[in-house]
Amino acid sequence: MATPPATPPPSAATASLLKRVILTVFNQRDPALRLSHINQLFVAQPISYSHSSTFHGREALNAHITELQSRFPPHWTFTTDGVVKTSLDRGMMRWRFGPRIGEERGIVFGTDVVTVQEGRIAQFWIIVEK
């Protein structure tokens, strides 16, 4: 009988990273606290891609999120659909962004795609769908 692995399999670790990015990074309004979360989840020099720009490094990603949040009311938040798809060192997860109205959320929809190296996000694509 096989012994269970001591660490989560890559797919479970990637799923956890993606969910934590939404919940602890994109929903965090305090830039210093958000950067602390970014430092935990991303490699030292991640590359992040959005529909309009490419960001090199943790601080650039943090600045992008600060700018994004400044354009929307504080009660707007990100949520996930909870489904993460993974393959080897890559993962993707759909998200929604908007005000909370009852249990419904989302005016803007998108997908995050990541490449993971040594347990941290090395490349991060933000794909806005609406």
Side-chain angles (χ1 to χ4, degrees), residues 86-124:
T86 62
S87 178
L88 302 173
D89 64 346
R90 291 176 177 79
M92 63 182 281
M93 181 180 65
R94 291 182 44 82
W95 49 262
R96 297 174 302 248
F97 180 60
R100 173 174 245 167
I101 303 170
E103 290 303 311
E104 295 297 318
R105 263 193 234 193
I107 292 176
V108 180
F109 299 86
T111 301
D112 288 345
V113 179
V114 298
T115 300
V116 176
Q117 292 177 353
E118 298 177 5
R120 292 184 181 199
I121 298 170
Q123 293 181 307
F124 181 59

Side-chain angles (χ1 to χ4, degrees), residues 18-19 22 79-85 91-97 108-113 127-130:
L18 278 162
K19 289 177 183 177
I22 291 295
T79 58
T80 76
D81 69 2
V83 176
V84 178
K85 297 179 182 178
M92 63 182 281
M93 181 180 65
R94 291 182 44 82
W95 49 262
R96 297 174 302 248
F97 180 60
V108 180
F109 299 86
T111 301
D112 288 345
V113 179
I127 302 166
V128 177
E129 298 169 14
K130 178 181 174 188

